[in-house]
Amino acid sequence: MNPFEMLKNLNQIKAQAQKFKEELKEIKAEGSSGGGIVKVEINGEFQLLKVSLDPVAVDPRDIKMLEDLIVAAHNDAMDKIKTAIQEKTSSMTGGMDLSDFMGN
């Protein structure tokens, strides 16, 4: 292959990767637990953006339950965001499975 053609392809790949990195910030997923009494929102960079608690979830006598619900909601959101990222990347990678790189 022509070295100049390879360089051109490399520049295109770098541009696509940078665009994808920016798009990750825009991908969002909400996870919930306890029938929706705890909700969390994360983005494609796996940053926690928001936690919403129904007042019934806040029982000072049962902090452990609330902690478990927050963890479960976060895990639900992580599963959803990983799926969204896999769907987005499948077109870029020609259907190649990247799950090993995403902690699946």
Side-chain angles (χ1 to χ4, degrees):
M1 178 178 246
N2 181 340
F4 294 111
E5 189 66 31
M6 288 175 57
L7 184 60
K8 179 181 170 187
N9 289 340
L10 180 61
N11 288 335
Q12 288 175 343
I13 292 169
K14 286 171 82 174
Q16 282 181 325
Q18 183 61 36
K19 180 182 175 194
F20 180 68
K21 185 177 177 183
E22 292 300 316
E23 289 174 353
L24 284 177
K25 295 176 187 174
E26 304 303 317
I27 299 172
K28 294 186 173 82
E30 181 180 271
S32 65
S33 65
I37 63 172
V38 174
K39 296 178 185 175
V40 300
E41 182 178 70
I42 61 174
N43 68 13
E45 293 182 315
F46 305 107
Q47 296 171 328
L48 181 62
L49 303 174
K50 182 179 176 182
V51 175
S52 300
L53 304 173
D54 186 301
V56 301
V58 185
D59 181 353
R61 297 167 297 174
D62 199 357
I63 298 298
K64 180 67 176 140
M65 180 195 67
L66 179 56
E67 292 169 345
D68 290 345
L69 289 171
I70 291 170
V71 169
H74 181 265
N75 291 340
D76 184 40
M78 288 293 286
D79 289 343
K80 290 176 181 176
I81 203 74
K82 286 178 183 180
T83 299
I85 291 171
Q86 284 176 330
E87 289 171 359
K88 185 132 183 90
T89 59
S90 69
S91 63
M92 288 177 54
T93 62
M96 193 174 10
D97 182 13
L98 300 178
S99 60
D100 288 340
F101 300 104
M102 294 179 22
N104 285 347

